[in-house]
Amino acid sequence: MNRGLLALALLLSVFGGWWAYRAYRAPDPEKVYVFKGFEGPSHVSRVVRPPAATVPQFDIGGDHRLAVLVTDPTSGWLGFVRGFRARGVPFMLTEDPAVALRHRVVLVYPRISGRLPPATLQALAAHVRSGGTLLAFDQQGGGLEDMFGAGDGIASRARRTLTWATPRGDPRETTLSINASGEDNMDTIGFLAGKAEVLAAYDDGVPAVTCRRVVGRACLMGVDIAALAERGMNGRGEAISRDYVNGYEPSVDILFAWIRDLYVQGETMPWLISPAPSGRDVSIILTHDIDFTRSVVNAKAYADLLRANGLSGTFFMQTKYVKDWNDDIFFNARTVPLLRGLLAEGMELGSHSVAHSRVFKAFPLGDGREAYPDYRPFVIDRTHARGGTVLGELRVSRFLLRKATGADVVSFRPGHLSYPPALPQALAATGYLYSSALPAESTLGYFPFQTTYDRADAALEPEYQFPVAIEDEQAPPLQDRFDAADALIADIAREHGVAVILIHPDVVQPKLGFEARLIAAWRGRAWMGSLRDFGAWWAARDALDVDVAQQGGKWVLSARAGDKAVREVDVILPKGGAHGAARTMTLNLAPGQATTQVLN
Ligand SMILES: [Zn+2]
């Protein structure tokens, strides 16, 4: 090849490359919508693994909390941390039996058998004989059979349900789903009851929960409630729940409620932090997913309804600037004013991803440098997509919503509730505080919770997860199941939980009518509003530290807010009123503010 030809080839390839790059940067507006002058985000999103949580981190507070004596620090005890905090039960963790025994109510987790020296077992027995309460999750040998009135734990992976001897208000609270069938089911322990009262039994008839009164109470629970809660909160409980969404699956809530009642009964001065804002029975978070062309226009009718009722709501917007198998482009200069209109009505704007792919859960994490307009995820069909990353979906959608509308975007919901294992750390890396990424039924309860790295048992992430209780895609149509939705919220209200409602504004009526009925039905009884507003309340409540202790013959409640203002948080003192009656105190604190109040 002569030099001239070589130079021409070089020139052509350089020019061709430049031309191809230009064509990519300025794509066919029918296929990719590019906002003039929008490029970013320019910073890099870095995923960091937080340090693993340790037992000593939770060795906190005074002696009137529920104590968990951890006999194996590699066990699922983080389930107690997340579970008790969400439900407002004061607790502490320790590996030191002497510290645990300063508390009236002691849980020994995960194993009492073969984990503790004889002297400690004797001290635990003496604790019960002097009026204390002990709950263990197994019992085999060790000489405590007589005190528990039950023993010889029989392990089995085949058990699926637990049924209380005394029926509860709802059949799904009476018979709890506690295990999956198949390969990943969990061990349960059954007990041969002697003198103990059998409070619940498994589907094979073997006792699951027993208690014996020996001055105090000695109880056994054969379900690893902390591990079960972890499985649910980590989004791995779907195989245990009986339905997918819109039903009632409260296994974890009811087991925690039982332990809470054990604490309240066994502790001289128990207290609880209400999971609902002061004066409310339940919290309803009103969310709307905009993932369809017409929805952007229809959203206004929903915002109008909320504003007319003095409420806010969340609108999760898909920043759809790429035309693909899913739909046409509907995030562009034409729709941005509509989004600004939602903000002007006091609504929250959250992200509903860029691609809205059903296989988002299988997207690679990405390098944290994904930026608009070069990031162009493309949905090929129901089960395929190309060019998308978890970080790209989060950071590019957030950048665009903020840049185009000025909204402070802190909430995220993936399309189709497709939930990648890395989502918690990716949300933390991209500035989100709240997400709603899985159905409540798969968590086996109706409480928000703090997330963990890789949806595993070791390290807490800063953001909170708010699972979906009611949505509008399952048959029959939403408007035909108002009574079922209303009944489910009433079920959730018994434990003062949280009902997240998901409505797609793909049509105005009849779904708008459903939302209007729901608001009217729960006005006054429920806190109602956006994920951002409730999330801020929840995070401040979670960071609030409350303790009750005796000082100079008087009971004193001390409280300190974290770095967020605490508003309308109720502290319930079941025995703190005159003559041991129940009493409620409402806390309002500025960030970091502390208060002490004498109770009697
Ligand atoms: Zn969607």
Side-chain angles (χ1 to χ4, degrees), residues 289 291 352 356 414-416 504:
D289 290 3
D291 49 24
H352 196 34
H356 198 276
H416 309 284
H504 293 82

